[in-house]
Amino acid sequence: KDPLPQSRHLATEIPGPLSTAAMQRRKEAVSGGLGTAMPVIVNRAHDAIIEDIDGNRIIDMGSGIGVVNVGNSAPRVVKAVQEAVANFTHTNFTTVPYMGYIEVCEALNRLTPGKFKKKSILQNSGAEAVENAIKIARHYTKRSAIVVFEHAYHGRTNLTMALTAKNIPYKDGFGPFANEIYRMPMPYSYRWLGNPNTIAQDALEMVTHKIEKEIGAHNVAAILIEPVVGEGGFIVPPVGFMPGLQKFATENKIVFIADEVQSGFARTGKMFAVEHENMEPDMIISAKGIAGGMPLAAVTARAEIMDSSHVGGLGGTYGGNPVVCAAALAVIQTIEEEKLVDRAAHIGTILVDSLNALKAKYPIIGEVRGRGAMVAIELVHEGTKNPNPEAMAKVIKYCQSKGVLILTAGTYGNVIRFLPPLVITDELLKDALGVLAEGFASL
Ligand code: PMP
């Protein structure tokens, strides 16, 4: 097949006739409970371009929700998958083990921050890894309470729905939910009502006080936090808050868990976002960016925590499938050889500069925030902080019509988030940002 040119191209209106017809079939055949960010059908995708079945070439500013950090169909990943699938497709790791699983765990134990001895386990999805993280932390501590935060997203299974903050669309009507989950305030700087200069200390005092008075620290198995809050709108906890929280966790023998499902794997200009504050969490959850689009997730933690379960207490049929493990090893090699951690920081600079220039021009952009190549803008009504989801929808729709796929987020449905593949060229990124600027001008 011809290589896919890394440039934007409109062959038809978006969506084109073939996509529109296919979306009708989708409507007839597929559950209505699934959303659609962009109503086109993909034909193929390479690096930062998605080609639809009408021949439009769309700039990918979402990476399949922060998954294809190494690019769509990254060459090393494709080759590794092809070789692995021809060798053996499945044995189940607990039936007949294979080296790929062991090597991915070794790599995770090496790449995650923390100078202590670590061990890992592999699963199929972010939510399944979060479930296992909680399960392991409870077994290790022999405690049941779990502390989570406002604006958090941890998944859509029963336990992870309980851990997730937002009702619509994630939880409404899907209960009853798991118990012993306690939600704490998240210091969301842009919307914080207290003194802006002391947010980290004030929030820390509030949260630790609530844990002590409302739960009892000795009842808490784990504190679970996203180092950059993803679906909630790319909220970056103020510097000092998370390290303070971890100190409190350590003093009270609570397992400190970083959910790096969206922020991990080079996305933020560090391999893991907690590294921005030199943190060494007891446990780190990885998924999304770990395997270039193959379904893989992982829990990595201090060895004594990971070994606390009895044999057979952990497992699953597909977790750490051999094909997926081969993809993960290729992803790790790609990140290291292509220096994608540095590349994420570079992309972040371009994004933040360009978005700040837009913010200066358009007062409905209330804030530009994020870390590395995980950046967002929050849209408000001019002169207020009232959420402006209508403007967000118009800008997104404009960008789509011009062949740029940009994702949304946020508790108030008013955040535009940028998660481009880390292999995107500067040229393509600037083209996408140019279209975004036109989108604001068109309002
Ligand atoms: N945690 C975080 C921080 C996430 O962003 C997500 C997915 N958006 C999940 C957990 C759940 O991952 P998955 O969709 O693979 O179950």
Side-chain angles (χ1 to χ4, degrees):
K1 263 195 171 174
D2 300 336
L4 187 54
Q6 291 297 299
S7 60
R8 185 165 60 94
H9 172 71
L10 298 184
T12 65
E13 271 183 32
I14 291 181
L18 296 177
S19 281
T20 302
M23 287 301 288
Q24 189 55 37
R25 280 174 61 188
R26 170 190 156 140
K27 197 173 163 214
E28 291 301 318
V30 179
S31 163
L34 295 170
T36 309
M38 187 164 181
V40 298
I41 303 286
V42 57
N43 179 39
R44 55 184 178 147
H46 284 286
D47 292 347
I49 289 287
I50 296 170
E51 183 187 63
D52 73 13
I53 55 175
D54 289 288
N56 298 299
R57 291 201 303 271
I58 297 156
I59 305 178
D60 180 8
M61 293 292 285
S63 301
I65 320 189
V67 171
V68 288
N69 294 355
V70 293
N72 287 282
S73 295
R76 290 181 187 81
V77 174
V78 171
K79 188 164 176 282
V81 165
Q82 285 170 339
E83 285 172 8
V85 80
N87 235 5
F88 58 99
T89 53
H90 174 85
T91 57
N92 178 299
F93 186 70
T94 58
T95 305
V96 182
Y98 37 89
M99 287 314 295
Y101 192 115
I102 299 167
E103 285 167 10
V104 171
C105 291
E106 285 171 348
L108 284 164
N109 301 342
R110 167 174 68 86
L111 292 168
T112 47
K115 285 174 275 301
F116 39 84
K117 167 123 179 104
K118 284 171 263 170
K119 291 193 178 184
S120 295
I121 182 171
L122 306 182
Q123 279 100 17
N124 301 288
S125 69
E128 192 188 2
V130 173
E131 291 248 2
N132 275 274
I134 299 300
K135 193 170 139 176
I136 294 165
R138 281 177 166 160
H139 198 278
Y140 173 71
T141 58
K142 301 185 174 59
R143 303 171 179 181
S144 57
I146 305 296
V147 167
V148 290
F149 291 85
E150 292 170 348
H151 309 288
Y153 182 89
H154 298 291
R156 282 182 170 96
T157 58
N158 186 266
L159 175 60
T160 59
M161 275 193 292
L163 301 167
T164 290
K166 194 175 172 178
N167 181 46
I168 291 272
Y170 306 126
K171 303 167 78 161
D172 201 58
F174 294 128
F177 301 114
N179 58 14
E180 286 302 303
I181 311 288
Y182 298 87
R183 194 168 309 285
M184 296 292 150
M186 161 58 67
Y188 184 167
S189 306
Y190 180 62
R191 295 188 177 278
W192 188 252
L193 297 174
N195 180 348
N197 301 316
T198 54
I199 303 178
Q201 303 92 295
D202 294 350
L204 192 59
E205 211 174 291
M206 191 186 287
V207 169
T208 53
H209 180 82
K210 280 172 78 73
I211 292 174
E212 276 165 349
K213 297 299 166 198
E214 296 173 18
I215 317 169
H218 61 283
N219 292 316
V220 178
I223 296 176
L224 172 66
I225 191 165
E226 293 163 86
V228 178
V229 180
E231 302 303 313
F234 287 15
I235 302 160
V236 183
V239 170
F241 176 71
M242 285 193 298
L245 206 57
Q246 182 169 10
K247 186 166 170 284
F248 173 84
T250 304
E251 285 163 4
N252 290 284
K253 299 186 165 52
I254 297 168
V255 179
F256 185 84
I257 310 176
D259 179 345
E260 293 252 16
V261 168
Q262 195 159 160
S263 57
F265 270 79
R267 175 50 58 187
T268 67
K270 300 276 184 192
M271 196 62 186
F272 291 93
V274 287
E275 293 171 53
H276 288 283
E277 294 196 69
N278 301 313
M279 296 176 65
E280 298 183 348
D282 300 311
M283 189 179 270
I284 290 189
I285 305 166
S286 308
K288 292 192 188 283
I290 190 174
M294 299 294 118
L296 180 64
V299 179
T300 304
R302 292 179 180 276
E304 65 268 25
I305 300 177
M306 293 304 286
D307 282 340
S308 84
S309 168
H310 47 270
V311 175
L314 307 176
T317 302
Y318 294 122
N321 166 282
V323 180
V324 161
C325 286
L329 294 170
V331 163
I332 292 163
Q333 192 192 4
T334 304
I335 290 173
E336 290 178 339
E337 287 177 7
E338 308 285 329
K339 300 194 170 27
L340 293 184
V341 172
D342 296 342
R343 184 78 200 139
H346 171 76
I347 289 169
T349 309
I350 296 178
L351 281 170
V352 168
D353 287 351
S354 165
L355 295 169
N356 273 323
L358 271 187
K359 179 173 180 280
K361 212 166 159 190
Y362 300 105
I364 63 165
I365 301 178
E367 189 177 52
V368 177
R369 60 176 179 248
R371 283 197 189 277
M374 185 170 185
V375 177
I377 51 179
E378 176 157 0
L379 303 193
V380 291
H381 287 281
E382 193 171 338
T384 73
K385 288 190 177 179
N386 298 336
N388 194 344
E390 304 80 17
M392 181 199 75
K394 283 183 191 156
V395 170
I396 293 294
K397 201 151 188 265
Y398 179 91
C399 292
Q400 290 191 358
S401 75
K402 299 291 177 192
V404 180
L405 170 58
I406 305 182
L407 302 177
T408 61
T411 298
Y412 313 106
N414 65 331
V415 173
I416 298 181
R417 61 171 147 170
F418 303 89
L419 289 168
L422 304 178
V423 295
I424 193 170
T425 60
D426 287 8
E427 195 188 355
L428 208 53
L429 181 61
K430 286 174 184 165
D431 184 26
L433 288 165
V435 172
L436 180 77
E438 284 170 24
F440 276 95
S442 78
L443 285 177

